[in-house]
Amino acid sequence: MALGWLPVVSLLLLGMRAAHGTTTAIDIQNAAAMAAGLCNTKPTDLVFIIDSSRSVRPSEFEQVKVFLAKVIEGLDVGPDTTRVGVINYASRVKNEISLKAHKAKAGLTKAVGKIEPLSTGTMTGLAIQFALNVAFSEAEGARVKSKDVSKVAIIVTDGRPQDNVREVAAKAREAGIEIFAIGVGRVDMNTLKMMASEPLEEHTDYVESYSLIEKLTKKFQEAFCACSNAATDVVFLIDGSKSVRPENFELVKKWINQIVDKLDVGESKAHVGLVQYSSTVRQEFPLGRYNNKKDLKEAVKKMDYMERGTMTGQALRFLLDNSFAPSQGARPGVAKVGIVFTDGRSQDYIGEAARKAKELGFKMYAVGVGNAVEDELREIASEPIADHYFYTADFKAMASIAKKLTINVCQEEDPCECDSIVKFQKKVEDALQALTKKLESVTKRIAALENKIV
């Protein structure tokens, strides 16, 4: 990755500071952000709702603030991008930071560091009501409700609320606020589910202690990373074998369109191709034929069911040789994503084609239903496999997979790649550790020489 002169200067400065023992985690993170770029976030009004009841010890509350600061560090904070507010609650609610308070990240992070715990009861319902009535109001800096601006609340709590949360959380969700609920320690899991938005598995998290809450940082950085403007070529490989059955094949088509709904389809954005396979392979339509969701979804609905065997290996080879070829509409230099759906064991060998697809840099998702062989799905899926492989026993449960399957279309060197910040930060930390050891060794040698001279 070409870093340019400014990040290199930053790293040299860090090296000098490391020699004097003054390098901090914030220094490293800032250098990583400079080198790798920040997430281009969709305009979002984000409010953290943090529990500081007496069960949260001061040291634990400090860990919550570190978590907030790290999530904020990965965001594109600004009046027209992400606005951040913080509500602190116990038996009462305190509006620590309003959405209009800070237009830049530095002041926001500093304000987070100054928040003090309230150390009384746990009125979570009251805090959500406050968020709905006050924190997300235009008077406090929230933008007018619009499909172009997301409203998000992240609740962090470690206990059972002393008031009702079900009804007020439902009102908040109905008002368009997406709620993430993070539980710590002895939290009541049912309460988290009452508060969180659907799908619950994406909006509820649990950690055993506050010392582990930082591990959720990457999830929330990626959750706010909007790469909708990135060009992507997406090809579906759909199993049309006789074991699927006609009524289930209709569910498969609905599932495809659920995923299409999540894509930013357009001439210079996401292109979608569709291939059906059974004993043979048939291209339903190539990449780029349809450049709006309406026409694309209509074409998916018109796909006729083939109803024969299951030659998944042959379908993967078709993907390699045809689907992503420029002659079939694929664009050079654009991210390539393959989504393979099957309901049974392949009747031919898939290993070589699956391996080659990943070697060529295609991001491969594998989705299985019913009698699909999970080992085959894992063989198809890209790393990390847990993020690219999905299985359900029932076709009717495919809608939940569509919600979970999020196509990350960011290129590795794209400034919208949240993960690159984390990876680069690790590289910087490792480099600084090595540099520090070398400098210590040099310092000792210089000291020894000085002693000899004296």
Side-chain angles (χ1 to χ4, degrees), residues 327-359:
S327 61
Q328 296 300 313
R331 293 165 291 177
V334 169
K336 304 292 188 287
V337 176
I339 303 176
V340 182
F341 165 80
T342 182
D343 84 324
R345 182 184 295 275
S346 178
Q347 294 171 340
D348 60 352
Y349 180 60
I350 68 166
E352 184 178 351
R355 176 182 53 79
K356 189 174 180 181
K358 289 178 282 189
E359 286 178 353

Side-chain angles (χ1 to χ4, degrees), residues 243-258:
S243 58
V244 174
R245 298 202 299 271
E247 64 274 18
N248 289 331
F249 194 71
E250 292 303 311
L251 294 176
V252 174
K253 291 194 284 185
K254 288 181 180 179
W255 172 78
I256 295 170
N257 280 340
Q258 278 184 281

Side-chain angles (χ1 to χ4, degrees), residues 38 75 111 121 125 150 162 198 205 209 225 240 243 255 275 300 304-305 318 334 369 375 397-398 437:
L38 298 171
L75 302 177
S150 299
Q162 296 169 334
E198 294 284 350
D205 287 283
S209 68
C225 199
S243 58
W255 172 78
V275 173
V300 171
D304 292 325
Y305 178 34
F318 185 92
V334 169
V369 177
D375 285 345
M398 290 185 70
K437 288 180 181 178

Side-chain angles (χ1 to χ4, degrees), residues 45 99 130-143 151:
D45 290 341
L99 290 168
F130 184 92
L132 181 60
N133 294 346
V134 180
F136 282 106
S137 69
E138 290 179 45
E140 290 298 313
R143 282 161 281 194
K151 307 285 185 184

Side-chain angles (χ1 to χ4, degrees), residues 167-413:
E167 291 181 9
V168 66
K171 287 180 183 177
R173 295 192 301 267
E174 287 169 7
I177 300 171
E178 183 179 11
I179 301 178
F180 291 86
I182 300 174
V184 183
R186 298 177 65 181
V187 70
D188 177 49
M189 295 302 296
N190 287 330
T191 299
L192 295 184
K193 293 174 183 177
M194 287 179 198
M195 295 188 293
S197 296
E198 294 284 350
L200 292 176
E201 60 269 20
E202 292 180 15
H203 291 84
T204 55
D205 287 283
Y206 172 79
V207 290
E208 292 179 354
S209 68
Y210 281 99
S211 63
L212 299 174
I213 196 169
E214 279 188 58
K215 75 177 186 178
L216 298 177
T217 302
K218 182 181 175 183
K219 167 186 170 171
F220 285 99
Q221 285 179 336
E222 292 182 345
F224 296 113
C225 199
C227 303
S228 60
N229 291 326
T232 319
D233 288 343
V234 181
V235 174
F236 289 88
L237 288 184
I238 300 301
D239 180 355
S241 59
K242 58 181 176 289
S243 58
V244 174
R245 298 202 299 271
E247 64 274 18
N248 289 331
F249 194 71
E250 292 303 311
L251 294 176
V252 174
K253 291 194 284 185
K254 288 181 180 179
W255 172 78
I256 295 170
N257 280 340
Q258 278 184 281
I259 297 174
V260 168
D261 274 330
K262 296 168 71 175
L263 297 174
D264 192 3
V265 177
E267 181 67 38
S268 60
K269 298 178 182 178
H271 287 188
V272 177
L274 178 60
V275 173
Q276 183 182 175
Y277 71 93
S278 57
S279 298
T280 59
V281 179
R282 183 174 77 205
Q283 180 170 264
E284 301 290 345
F285 53 82
L287 288 162
R289 177 172 291 179
Y290 305 105
N291 288 321
N292 64 77
K293 289 185 183 181
K294 182 177 182 294
D295 292 344
L296 181 56
K297 291 168 72 174
E298 283 300 316
V300 171
K301 290 176 184 177
K302 291 176 181 176
M303 178 171 55
D304 292 325
Y305 178 34
M306 293 175 76
E307 201 171 356
R308 283 180 280 175
T310 311
M311 303 292 280
T312 311
Q314 188 177 343
L316 287 167
R317 288 190 291 275
F318 185 92
L319 181 81
L320 293 171
D321 299 337
N322 298 279
S323 297
F324 287 134
S327 61
Q328 296 300 313
R331 293 165 291 177
V334 169
K336 304 292 188 287
V337 176
I339 303 176
V340 182
F341 165 80
T342 182
D343 84 324
R345 182 184 295 275
S346 178
Q347 294 171 340
D348 60 352
Y349 180 60
I350 68 166
E352 184 178 351
R355 176 182 53 79
K356 189 174 180 181
K358 289 178 282 189
E359 286 178 353
L360 288 172
F362 303 162
K363 182 163 287 191
M364 300 297 294
Y365 292 85
V367 179
V369 177
N371 294 320
V373 179
E374 295 192 57
D375 285 345
E376 289 186 354
L377 298 176
R378 293 189 187 97
E379 194 168 6
I380 294 168
S382 292
E383 295 285 349
I385 291 175
D387 294 339
H388 296 87
Y389 141 78
F390 303 89
Y391 173 81
T392 179
D394 187 358
F395 277 88
K396 293 178 182 178
M398 290 185 70
S400 64
I401 291 179
K403 291 177 181 177
K404 292 179 188 176
L405 197 159
T406 300
I407 298 173
N408 180 357
V409 299
C410 304
Q411 300 272 12
E412 282 194 13
E413 294 190 16

Side-chain angles (χ1 to χ4, degrees), residues 36-216:
L38 298 171
C39 292
N40 294 322
T41 48
K42 176 183 177 181
T44 304
D45 290 341
L46 168 62
V47 174
F48 290 95
I49 304 175
I50 53 174
D51 176 357
S52 68
S53 56
R54 64 174 65 91
S55 60
V56 183
R57 293 191 291 270
S59 61
E60 294 173 332
F61 193 70
E62 290 302 309
Q63 290 168 331
V64 174
K65 292 194 292 184
V66 170
F67 166 68
L68 265 61
K70 287 195 172 184
V71 173
I72 290 167
E73 189 61 40
L75 302 177
D76 183 9
V77 175
D80 299 321
T81 51
T82 302
R83 301 180 186 182
V84 179
V86 181
I87 294 172
N88 182 14
Y89 80 95
S91 293
R92 63 187 178 92
V93 181
K94 186 178 180 183
N95 196 22
E96 298 282 2
I97 302 171
S98 71
L99 290 168
K100 66 182 179 182
H102 296 280
K103 297 179 180 179
K105 195 178 300 183
L108 174 60
T109 305
K110 188 175 181 179
V112 167
K114 293 180 178 178
I115 299 173
E116 295 293 334
L118 300 174
S119 301
T120 49
T122 311
M123 301 293 281
T124 310
L126 183 66
I128 298 172
Q129 187 70 60
F130 184 92
L132 181 60
N133 294 346
V134 180
F136 282 106
S137 69
E138 290 179 45
E140 290 298 313
R143 282 161 281 194
V144 177
K145 186 176 179 181
S146 162
K147 62 180 179 63
D148 297 322
V149 180
S150 299
K151 307 285 185 184
V152 179
I154 300 177
I155 302 172
V156 183
T157 181
D158 79 331
R160 186 185 295 273
Q162 296 169 334
D163 56 355
N164 185 280
V165 300
R166 186 191 297 272
E167 291 181 9
V168 66
K171 287 180 183 177
R173 295 192 301 267
E174 287 169 7
I177 300 171
E178 183 179 11
I179 301 178
F180 291 86
I182 300 174
V184 183
R186 298 177 65 181
V187 70
D188 177 49
M189 295 302 296
N190 287 330
T191 299
L192 295 184
K193 293 174 183 177
M194 287 179 198
M195 295 188 293
S197 296
E198 294 284 350
L200 292 176
E201 60 269 20
E202 292 180 15
H203 291 84
T204 55
D205 287 283
Y206 172 79
V207 290
E208 292 179 354
S209 68
Y210 281 99
S211 63
L212 299 174
I213 196 169
E214 279 188 58
K215 75 177 186 178
L216 298 177

